[in-house]
Amino acid sequence: MTAPVSRRSLLGLAGLGTSAFLLGGCGGDDSDSPGTPQTVKWWHIQNTEPMLPVWADLARVYSGRHPNVTFEIEPLENEVFKTELAEITKKGTPPDLFQSWGGGLLQQQVEAGLVKDITAEVEPWIGQLLPAALQPYTIDGRIYGIPFDVGMTGFWYNRDHFSDAGITSPPTTWAGLLEAVGKLKARGITPIALAGKDKWPGHFYWAYLAMRVGGLEALRVAGETGNFDTPEFVAAGERLKELVDLKPFQRNWRSAEYGTADGQGAAMGNGEAAMELMGQWAPSIQASSSNSKLGIGNQLGFFTFPTVEGGKGAATDAFGGGNGFAVGRDAPPATVDFLRMLLRSENQRRAAETGAVLPTNLAAVGRIKDPNNQVVAAHLAVATGFQLYLDQAYPPAVGQQVNNSVAELMIGRKRPDQILKDITAVAKSQQ
């Protein structure tokens, strides 16, 4: 769920000195032996600073310690990556190490025999990682990927706008959120920024409401049975329609994208809206998309998605995801050893210090310096449950239908009960 950014190459990074990004900690016992020549093809989407040069230097450091190992690194923009990975996996030739969000797509890759079961290889050190972060990469009790980053979605809000509207504290209930929207509108402040064109930001609302109304168990059962046409999910749609009927979004929300100069992130970063429901990356995108390139600074706050009266879901159940890597089925032995290096505590600490990564290594969590990331990490630390983004948790066709159907609900094209029949039809066809 990362924001669209420009594709960049690694040209010019090959000459970086080790002093700039030396993150140390190579794994394996044969670091000084020549060994059999191995080439690791690595695709990732950290294609801009600050993580682009960090990944490049880690590969270079590893090769320096393992002269028999070379890397062919392909940093790709998010949507380009998805398209190119789909094409290459159709041919049965996935990269050796590639970006993965786990969940439904990873399960399909497992079933197609495209990824390697790395359970035994990572067993000696997997206990260093946050258990919740591993969940999306564990299929039928076996591990097929490793997360290096984990986060959650919540409401980012403008403290000044809330104060101007007389909102003394962030709402903790759905009714309270609707009341806050009314107060903001009464002051002439746009309550919520939304990238309607991209669709995936809209699905956050329905997914969280489904969690709060039906609980995590309802989403799990729906994923297994393919049946989304239940009273809990209808109620979630009805609650979302309550919000949409208040017309809380910016004027161009239907055509707005997320990371563009006139998109959702920019509306927040320029102080043009009071809230957005977005992941842990939101502050950086708000800043980079804003006119000042600074965002709104310490005016920015964060609060978790409200509870719904009578709902089964807990306020501490988190909705989110992260970034990780899966290992291709024919990957050379050095691939998993290099993956271990990426996840070592000292390397995760350095990644955390960039502000771009919320680490999964327990020993690195304390090195988070960005105050916004600290807030998200604190909420994750006390989370009682964790739900992966629905367009990643379910098979791709189902996830896409969720996005499309929620978009149809939000623009008034279909009712809550109608979209659930559409989602169910697609989910049943995938079983």
Side-chain angles (χ1 to χ4, degrees), residues 94-274:
D96 301 314
L97 188 66
F98 60 93
Q99 176 82 25
S100 175
W101 296 278
L105 179 57
L106 181 60
Q107 182 165 352
Q108 288 190 342
Q109 292 165 344
V110 170
E111 293 170 351
L114 295 171
V115 292
K116 184 179 181 181
D117 181 344
I118 59 175
T119 308
E121 293 176 83
V122 304
E123 191 275 333
W125 52 272
I126 200 67
Q128 301 171 9
L129 307 186
L130 289 165
L134 275 169
Q135 179 183 324
Y137 301 89
T138 305
I139 311 294
D140 295 329
R142 310 298 292 178
I143 299 172
Y144 294 92
I146 296 295
F148 65 84
D149 169 60
V150 65
M152 64 176 287
T153 295
F155 276 105
W156 297 93
Y157 73 102
N158 187 312
R159 300 178 193 273
D160 284 353
H161 287 334
F162 269 44
S163 178
D164 288 346
I167 304 169
T168 57
S169 61
T172 59
T173 65
W174 185 248
L177 180 70
L178 299 181
E179 181 181 354
V181 166
K183 290 181 177 180
L184 289 161
K185 286 182 66 89
R187 290 287 296 173
I189 300 169
T190 298
I192 300 174
L194 181 65
K197 183 179 180 180
D198 284 341
K199 296 183 180 180
W200 57 264
H203 113 275
F204 290 170
Y205 288 86
W206 182 82
Y208 245 133
L209 283 165
M211 285 174 56
R212 294 296 190 251
V213 174
L216 292 173
E217 181 67 7
L219 288 168
R220 185 192 65 79
V221 171
E224 291 182 356
T225 64
N227 181 27
F228 289 80
D229 192 5
T230 65
E232 293 91 346
F233 294 150
V234 173
E238 290 172 343
R239 299 291 80 73
L240 178 53
K241 190 173 183 303
E242 290 175 349
L243 175 65
V244 173
D245 287 347
L246 294 178
K247 298 182 179 180
F249 310 122
Q250 79 274 25
R251 184 171 299 176
N252 71 331
W253 73 272
R254 292 192 182 190
S255 60
E257 298 176 58
Y258 175 58
T260 56
D262 61 347
Q264 176 175 331
M268 281 296 297
N270 290 326
E272 297 166 358

Side-chain angles (χ1 to χ4, degrees), residues 256-323:
E257 298 176 58
Y258 175 58
T260 56
D262 61 347
Q264 176 175 331
M268 281 296 297
N270 290 326
E272 297 166 358
M275 291 180 278
E276 69 167 334
L277 181 60
M278 191 49 60
Q280 69 276 8
W281 58 84
S284 63
I285 301 302
Q286 290 174 14
S288 64
S289 302
S290 68
N291 296 332
S292 67
K293 302 304 178 185
L294 298 173
I296 60 173
N298 59 13
Q299 295 177 36
L300 188 65
F302 179 87
F303 64 94
T304 57
F305 197 90
T307 58
V308 176
E309 184 179 0
K312 299 176 182 177
T316 48
D317 288 343
F319 176 69
N323 295 286

Side-chain angles (χ1 to χ4, degrees), residues 364-403:
V365 172
R367 293 294 285 271
I368 299 172
K369 292 185 175 180
D370 181 86
N372 293 312
N373 283 347
Q374 288 175 350
V375 171
V376 175
H379 284 290
L380 281 171
V382 297
T384 52
F386 189 83
Q387 172 62 52
L388 184 64
Y389 300 119
L390 300 190
D391 55 358
Q392 295 170 10
Y394 300 140
V398 180
Q400 186 59 55
Q401 186 60 51
V402 170
N403 286 349

